[in-house]
Amino acid sequence: MEKPKVTTTPHFSAPLQKAWHRFYSDFLLPSRVQEFRSLLEQALARGYQVHSIASIWEKIKAGQLQDGPYLVLRLDIDTDLRTTRALWQVVREMGVQASFYFRLSTLDVNLMREIHASGSEASYHYEEIATYAKRHRLKSRAEVEAHMPAIRALFAENYRRIKALTGLPLHTVASHGDWLNRRLGVINHELLQDPGLREELGIELEAYDPALHQHYTRRYSDGAYPNLWLDGDPLEAIQKGLPFVEVLMHPRHWEANIAVNLQDNLLRLGEELAYRRLGLPHLLGPLAPLWPLLQTGILETGL
C-alpha cells in the first residue's frame, strides 16, 4: 500500500514532540486518499465483499453470512467535509459500500442523500450525553445518570429532525467519542441501552452493538500522526485473508484541512473554557470577533 510522504520528526523533548505531532497532523499531513484506494483494491483482489454497517446487518438479520471474507467500512465524520467527499468518491468509484456517520456539526443533507443514492449508508453520529453534560456542566457519572431521561429526549428530538431533513432510514447509528465522555467515564451509546427508545425510533443497530461485533475477526481504527493505525495495519489482515474485518476511519486523519482543523481546535478550547465557566471572548482577545464565525462552522467550506 502506498504510504503518505511525511517529514522526519525533529528531535524534541517528549512534550514538544507531542505538540509537533499534533501540529503536523492538523496542518501538514499530506493526502492519504490514494492509500485508502489501494486498501480497497487489494481487498477486492483477494475476494473481500466490502460492506456498510447497514448492508452487513441485513445479511446478519437474514442469516446469510457465509465464510466471507468481509470488509466493513465505517467513516465517522467528526470534521472535514472536503476530505469526506474525497473518500466517498473512492468508495463510489470502486463500486463498494461504506457507512458515513455525520455529527450535527457536520450534517450535510445533500451529501448524505447522494451517499445513500449511491448504495452506501449515511446516518447519525450522535453525542447527546456529551452535549447535554457540557450544556449543564455535569461533573460525574451519577449526574449524567440522573439526567438520562432528558438526554434521551434530546437524542430523540435530534434523530427525528435529521430523519425528516434527509428522508433517510437511519436504521443504524454510531456513537461519537467526545473529550467529556472520557473525562466522565460515560460513553455516548449508553443512552441507547433503552430498548423502548430504539423501538420507538426504529433504530435496529448501534454500531458498537455486540450483535454486530461478535462476528468480527478484527477491528481497526485510524489515528493521528504518527500512529496512522491504532490497532495494527488492516492491510496485513487482508493479506492474511481474515474472514471478517472492520475498518473505522475519520476524515481528519486522511488529509490536513488547515481551516477546519484550526476551527475545531478553537471550538474545543471554547468548550473547555465554557465548561469551566471561564470567559472565552476575554481570553481570546483580538480573536473574539471571529468566534461567531467559528461557532457557525462557516470556515468548513473555506479551504
Side-chain angles (χ1 to χ4, degrees):
M1 184 189 304
E2 181 182 350
K3 301 293 185 181
K5 296 179 180 179
V6 296
T7 58
T8 302
T9 302
H11 181 69
F12 292 136
S13 64
L16 286 177
Q17 189 173 69
K18 183 177 180 180
W20 162 251
H21 288 162
R22 179 61 183 262
F23 180 84
Y24 186 92
S25 187
D26 283 353
F27 304 117
L28 298 175
L29 182 71
S31 174
R32 301 175 59 204
V33 173
Q34 290 308 311
E35 179 186 344
F36 176 51
R37 184 185 296 274
S38 178
L39 176 70
L40 292 182
E41 288 173 345
Q42 297 197 47
L44 292 173
R46 287 167 172 77
Y48 276 82
Q49 297 181 38
V50 184
H51 282 273
S52 66
I53 298 286
S55 65
I56 200 66
W57 178 240
E58 290 302 315
K59 279 189 168 291
I60 292 171
K61 287 193 303 179
Q64 295 176 348
L65 283 184
Q66 300 173 347
D67 293 335
Y70 299 104
L71 173 62
V72 179
L73 291 180
R74 169 183 161 189
L75 291 88
D76 287 354
I77 316 306
D78 295 344
T79 62
D80 194 357
L81 292 172
R82 184 186 71 186
T83 304
T84 298
R85 291 187 182 97
L87 294 169
W88 170 59
Q89 183 68 23
V90 173
V91 169
R92 185 170 58 173
E93 290 175 0
M94 299 295 292
V96 299
Q97 296 175 301
S99 289
F100 295 75
Y101 292 106
F102 291 79
R103 299 169 67 190
L104 291 179
S105 60
T106 57
L107 205 66
D108 185 320
V109 172
N110 289 335
L111 177 58
M112 292 176 72
R113 288 173 176 169
E114 290 177 29
I115 288 171
H116 178 79
S118 73
S120 284
E121 177 187 24
S123 192
Y124 186 28
H125 195 36
Y126 64 94
E127 53 191 313
E128 276 75 11
I129 287 179
T131 300
Y132 189 97
K134 291 172 191 173
R135 186 178 301 165
H136 297 274
R137 297 183 178 89
L138 306 185
K139 303 296 185 180
S140 68
R141 165 177 280 275
E143 286 187 287
V144 170
E145 291 173 348
H147 287 83
M148 195 61 78
I151 294 170
R152 289 190 168 117
L154 177 62
F155 171 83
E157 176 186 350
N158 289 334
Y159 175 87
R160 290 190 176 106
R161 180 163 60 90
I162 296 170
K163 195 168 187 176
L165 282 172
T166 62
L168 301 181
L170 309 188
H171 287 159
T172 84
V173 294
S175 168
H176 172 64
D178 188 86
W179 61 270
L180 190 53
N181 293 112
R182 294 185 287 274
R183 188 171 300 179
L184 297 177
V186 185
I187 304 171
N188 280 308
H189 69 68
E190 292 186 34
L191 71 87
L192 280 182
Q193 291 176 354
D194 180 350
L197 180 63
R198 292 190 183 208
E199 184 176 359
E200 175 188 342
L201 297 175
I203 296 172
E204 298 184 10
L205 184 76
E206 212 287 340
Y208 290 104
D209 280 350
L212 173 62
H213 282 218
Q214 66 180 343
H215 298 281
Y216 289 159
T217 310
R218 283 291 303 273
R219 294 183 68 246
Y220 297 88
S221 176
D222 59 3
Y225 175 83
N227 301 311
L228 299 179
W229 291 108
L230 301 181
D231 309 300
D233 192 333
L235 180 58
E236 296 178 3
I238 289 169
Q239 291 171 338
K240 292 177 181 177
L242 297 187
F244 212 131
V245 177
E246 184 195 64
V247 173
L248 169 61
M249 299 167 52
H250 305 81
R252 182 173 186 148
H253 299 324
W254 291 81
E255 183 176 12
N257 188 330
I258 295 172
V260 170
N261 291 342
L262 176 61
Q263 169 189 307
D264 186 62
N265 291 341
L266 288 173
L267 285 172
R268 167 66 180 86
L269 172 63
E271 287 180 345
E272 179 73 43
L273 294 174
Y275 185 70
R276 296 186 181 189
R277 296 182 181 273
L278 298 175
L280 179 62
H282 172 73
L283 291 174
L284 285 182
L287 291 179
L290 292 177
W291 189 244
L293 299 181
L294 296 170
Q295 287 180 305
T296 58
I298 197 170
L299 294 180
E300 172 69 16
T301 56
L303 291 176

